[in-house]
Amino acid sequence: MSKEDYRDKIEEHRQSFEEEQQEQLNLSRVSRMNKNGSNNKKPKKSKQRKFPLMTILFVTFILIPLTILIYFVQFYDPGKTIEEAEKDTMKDSVVEFDKTNGKAEASTSTENDKDDKANEQAKEQAQKDAEKLAAQQKAAEEAKKAEEAKKAEEAKVAQQQAEAAKKAEEAKKAEEARKAEEAKKNAANAKTHTVKSNENLYRIALKYYGDGSEATLAKIRAANGMPNDTVFVGQVIKLP
């Protein structure tokens, strides 16, 4: 309770005390008037007279000393005037308000710091997720490019093999055509001999090739499809 409240309280008690005194005075006047108007009647004791008297006694001997005692215990300082005490009271109130305000500001600052920290963490996590997603996309693109390069290389190798096989086949056909043409020419240019009497295959080989060896004879037999060296008169023999 502040000093101003104690002052108001004391002022209220003082006014109450004055009102009760005025009321007591009015009752005394009324009593005297009743006494002067009728001497035969005995004045009756008023119930309202006893109650204000008890209140006055209570205020005078209990409440006022108790209030003064509380004031001296709480606020009285012999070295300070009333104005200084009031200033100290105001300073305490201001300090308490400043402390409360400081606590509120500190609490608000702490909450703002927490929010900023949470927002910063959320931003960092979002950035990490974005970087991770970008890395995954880049890896997927590189894998796709590697697969496409592998397929292109395989297609190139297959094309080269196909071209090589085609060239080999063409070379083979060309060689076969060349051999056929040569055989055809050889067949066209082949010499023949009609067997006469007293001739045999050895004499014919010796006549045309100057050599009657088994190799020459085998060549003549192969050109004519002969199973052996036997010939007969009038037979036409090809001479390769």
Side-chain angles (χ1 to χ4, degrees):
M1 186 178 292
S2 64
K3 188 184 297 183
E4 190 67 27
D5 294 334
Y6 281 112
R7 289 181 180 178
D8 294 339
K9 194 72 175 177
I10 293 172
E11 184 65 24
E12 289 177 1
H13 288 305
R14 186 183 65 77
Q15 292 177 0
S16 177
F17 179 73
E18 291 177 355
E19 290 176 356
E20 289 177 357
Q21 286 182 343
Q22 186 65 33
E23 186 179 357
Q24 184 68 26
L25 182 60
N26 292 333
L27 289 174
S28 298
R29 290 177 180 176
V30 172
S31 178
R32 287 196 298 270
M33 290 175 64
N34 290 333
K35 184 175 181 181
N36 293 329
S38 178
N39 294 324
N40 296 327
K41 293 182 180 180
K42 293 181 179 180
K44 294 181 179 179
K45 293 181 179 180
S46 177
K47 293 182 180 179
Q48 295 178 354
R49 188 175 182 181
K50 186 178 180 181
F51 179 75
L53 181 59
M54 294 299 294
T55 304
I56 292 169
L57 293 174
F58 176 76
V59 172
T60 303
F61 295 101
I62 297 177
L63 188 59
I64 292 176
L66 183 61
T67 303
I68 294 172
L69 179 61
I70 292 173
Y71 170 76
F72 273 93
V73 171
Q74 294 291 332
F75 300 101
Y76 181 70
D77 189 355
K80 293 183 179 179
T81 62
I82 296 174
E83 289 77 7
E84 291 176 350
E86 289 179 353
K87 289 181 180 179
D88 293 339
T89 305
M90 293 297 294
K91 287 181 180 180
D92 294 337
S93 300
V94 170
V95 169
E96 184 177 358
F97 176 76
D98 290 339
K99 288 181 179 180
T100 305
N101 191 16
K103 290 181 180 179
E105 290 179 354
S107 178
T108 304
S109 178
T110 303
E111 291 178 357
N112 292 332
D113 292 339
K114 289 181 179 179
D115 293 337
D116 294 339
K117 188 175 182 180
N119 293 332
E120 189 67 23
Q121 290 178 353
K123 289 180 180 179
E124 290 178 357
Q125 186 64 33
Q127 185 176 1
K128 289 180 180 179
D129 294 339
E131 291 176 355
K132 184 177 181 181
L133 181 60
Q136 291 177 353
Q137 291 178 351
K138 185 177 180 180
E141 290 177 357
E142 290 178 355
K144 185 177 179 181
K145 289 180 180 180
E147 185 68 22
E148 291 177 353
K150 183 179 179 181
K151 289 182 179 180
E153 186 66 23
E154 291 177 352
K156 184 177 180 180
V157 172
Q159 184 178 1
Q160 290 177 353
Q161 291 177 352
E163 291 177 355
K166 184 178 180 181
K167 289 180 179 180
E169 185 68 21
E170 290 176 353
K172 183 178 179 181
K173 289 180 178 180
E175 183 66 19
E176 291 178 352
R178 186 185 65 78
K179 289 181 178 180
E181 185 67 22
E182 186 178 355
K184 185 177 180 181
K185 288 181 179 180
N186 291 333
N189 297 326
K191 297 178 180 180
T192 60
H193 173 77
T194 303
V195 179
K196 298 177 181 178
S197 60
N198 297 324
E199 286 183 343
N200 54 26
L201 191 61
Y202 174 77
R203 289 180 179 179
I204 294 171
L206 187 62
K207 180 180 178 180
Y208 288 98
Y209 298 104
D211 182 13
S213 63
E214 180 62 28
T216 305
L217 296 177
K219 183 170 65 173
I220 296 171
R221 289 196 300 268
N224 293 275
M226 298 170 58
N228 49 41
D229 295 341
T230 302
V231 292
F232 55 90
V233 178
Q235 182 179 357
V236 177
I237 298 174
K238 297 177 182 180
L239 300 174

